[in-house]
Amino acid sequence: MTLGAVGFGLIAICYGFARFAFGLFLPQIDADLSLSSTVGGLISGGSFLGYCVAIVVSAHLTERLGPRAVATGAALVAAMGMIGIATAPSSLWLAGAVMLAGSSTGLASPPMAAAVAAAVKPARQGATNTLINAGTGAGVVLSGPVALLMGGHWRIAFLIFAAMALCMAIAVVVSVPGNAQSAENRAKGLPTLNKTLKRLIIASFLMGASSTALWSFGSQLVTLRLDWSHTGAGLLWIAIGAAGMAGAGAGSLVARFGIDRTHWLFLVTLAGGILLVGFEGTTPALTLLGGALFGLAYIMLTGVYLVWGVSALPRRPATGLTIGFLTIAIGQTAGAPLFGLIMDQLTPTYAVTAFACLAFTAGLARSGNAADTKSTTSTLPNA
């Protein structure tokens, strides 16, 4: 329980604060630093790019240094990145700080998966990993009230987030095991890129790109459509995060209905959430409903890709996880600047419609031979 709670907190800080909170505060940051939508999209994409690099490095370092050192490093990197955001005098400085903060998420996931495998009995690993994975939604929920309390003072908010990350680093040192060696850690090299993995890469890339419509621009969209201030944007983030915590049940849905049915259901839900928040003529109630649908769908879909990857590589589950989540982040890296460009060159309506449709295209990639079994979901590593 202690390891699960610490992992939950680490994921909440790295994902909810260091990675996704930038989109929440983007209108205030834009006003202070005079960023265009295109530049804001490029900077947001930098956060996802940092994740892509970090998750590969983290998997390598975890095998050599152990989970405690790498997880502690993730908390410290998150703190440094958020201090950089809080003190950013220019868009160039901000871009570097956002990339550094976003990389903490990639650093955090592999060591926590290794720690759970080493310290938790097999019968409890699934529950522990589910608890840790739910931290993303919790972090997003908590960032909303901070935005409400801080108003337009985004620099102070990120300093508060950084202080929490430093406290989490101490908790990690106390709670996470120092060494974790498993049969999977001894497996080296790249896996064979079979049809199942190729389909996973296509689907996760397209879903990741689509999700940037709200992760990177949700706050700007509600400001544009409803003339909401930071208060309204904070409420949207609370709706996204609260619903996202329910996404911890993805594994049981996949076990019952299969990967493809669950995948399609929540892709439709994701597209619906994007449209409800971003379409012209939306209302406050529809916007909050759209945020809740988006949050639920996003966490559910990350769970689907987790199961998909583990099913494709049953002997190397963390590698399967890395492939799916790395590709999601690559999609987000590409999607954020593209959405900003469409907003600048065309209209927000075009951008929202295009990215909602992009979610549907991910459903064309079928899971193929991925095994939809209960045994697969019982030992899931954290995402």
Side-chain angles (χ1 to χ4, degrees):
M1 288 300 296
T2 301
L3 181 62
V6 170
F8 180 94
L10 179 65
I11 295 299
I13 286 172
C14 291
Y15 278 82
F17 297 166
R19 184 175 175 188
F20 290 133
F22 176 76
L24 171 61
F25 290 97
L26 186 55
Q28 290 82 36
I29 296 173
D30 177 29
D32 287 352
L33 298 180
S34 301
L35 306 178
S36 67
S37 294
T38 301
V39 172
L42 287 170
I43 293 175
S44 183
S47 173
F48 301 126
L49 178 60
Y51 175 92
C52 296
V53 175
I55 194 170
V56 176
V57 173
S58 179
H60 176 78
L61 291 178
T62 299
E63 294 179 4
R64 283 152 180 77
L65 303 179
R68 180 190 299 155
V70 181
T72 303
L76 294 176
V77 167
M80 290 187 294
M82 290 187 286
I83 290 172
I85 294 172
T87 58
S90 65
S91 59
L92 183 61
W93 178 296
L94 180 67
V98 168
M99 181 178 292
L100 181 63
S103 69
S104 68
T105 54
L107 291 174
S109 293
M112 291 314 303
V116 170
V120 179
K121 295 179 179 180
R124 297 293 302 165
Q125 288 180 10
T128 305
N129 281 310
T130 298
L131 172 65
I132 292 172
N133 192 48
T136 300
V140 174
V141 167
L142 291 174
S143 65
V146 172
L148 295 178
L149 291 173
M150 292 295 101
H153 302 293
W154 57 273
R155 296 183 187 273
I156 297 176
F158 275 101
L159 286 176
I160 293 173
F161 294 156
M164 295 174 69
L166 291 173
C167 293
M168 184 52 59
I170 297 173
V172 168
V173 171
V174 173
S175 305
V176 175
N179 295 296
Q181 295 295 325
S182 66
E184 183 192 355
N185 288 339
R186 293 190 291 270
K188 305 295 183 183
L190 297 175
T192 301
L193 198 62
N194 55 36
K195 289 183 179 180
T196 302
L197 286 178
K198 290 178 181 178
R199 292 165 178 163
L200 168 62
I201 289 170
I202 293 171
S204 55
F205 176 87
L206 292 170
M207 191 285 288
S210 176
S211 72
T212 58
L214 294 194
W215 281 135
S216 297
F217 293 94
S219 186
Q220 283 191 322
L221 286 172
V222 297
T223 299
L224 177 67
R225 296 305 194 198
L226 300 173
D227 197 26
W228 276 2
S229 64
H230 56 270
T231 300
L235 291 175
L236 174 66
W237 241 243
I238 292 172
I240 290 174
M245 286 191 287
S252 60
L253 287 178
V254 168
R256 182 171 181 179
F257 299 108
I259 290 177
D260 289 329
R261 289 182 180 178
T262 309
H263 188 214
W264 263 114
L265 172 63
F266 289 104
L267 286 173
V268 172
T269 305
L270 186 82
I274 293 171
L275 289 173
L276 286 176
V277 172
F279 82 96
E280 190 171 2
T282 189
T283 66
L286 288 177
T287 294
L288 294 179
L289 173 61
L293 291 175
F294 175 85
L296 172 64
Y298 182 83
I299 302 301
M300 281 287 187
L301 287 167
T302 58
V304 167
Y305 298 137
L306 189 154
V307 175
W308 193 335
V310 170
S311 300
L313 296 174
R315 295 184 180 180
R316 303 179 65 182
T319 302
L321 174 151
T322 299
I323 290 172
F325 281 82
L326 174 61
T327 312
I328 290 173
I330 293 172
Q332 290 167 329
T333 302
L338 180 59
F339 190 96
L341 180 64
I342 296 174
M343 280 188 65
D344 276 346
Q345 300 300 319
L346 298 175
T347 66
T349 299
Y350 277 108
V352 167
T353 303
F355 274 61
C357 292
L358 196 61
F360 288 111
T361 63
L364 300 177
R366 313 292 287 182
S367 62
N369 296 324
D372 298 343
T373 63
K374 293 183 180 180
S375 61
T376 298
T377 62
S378 64
T379 57
L380 295 178
N382 90 288

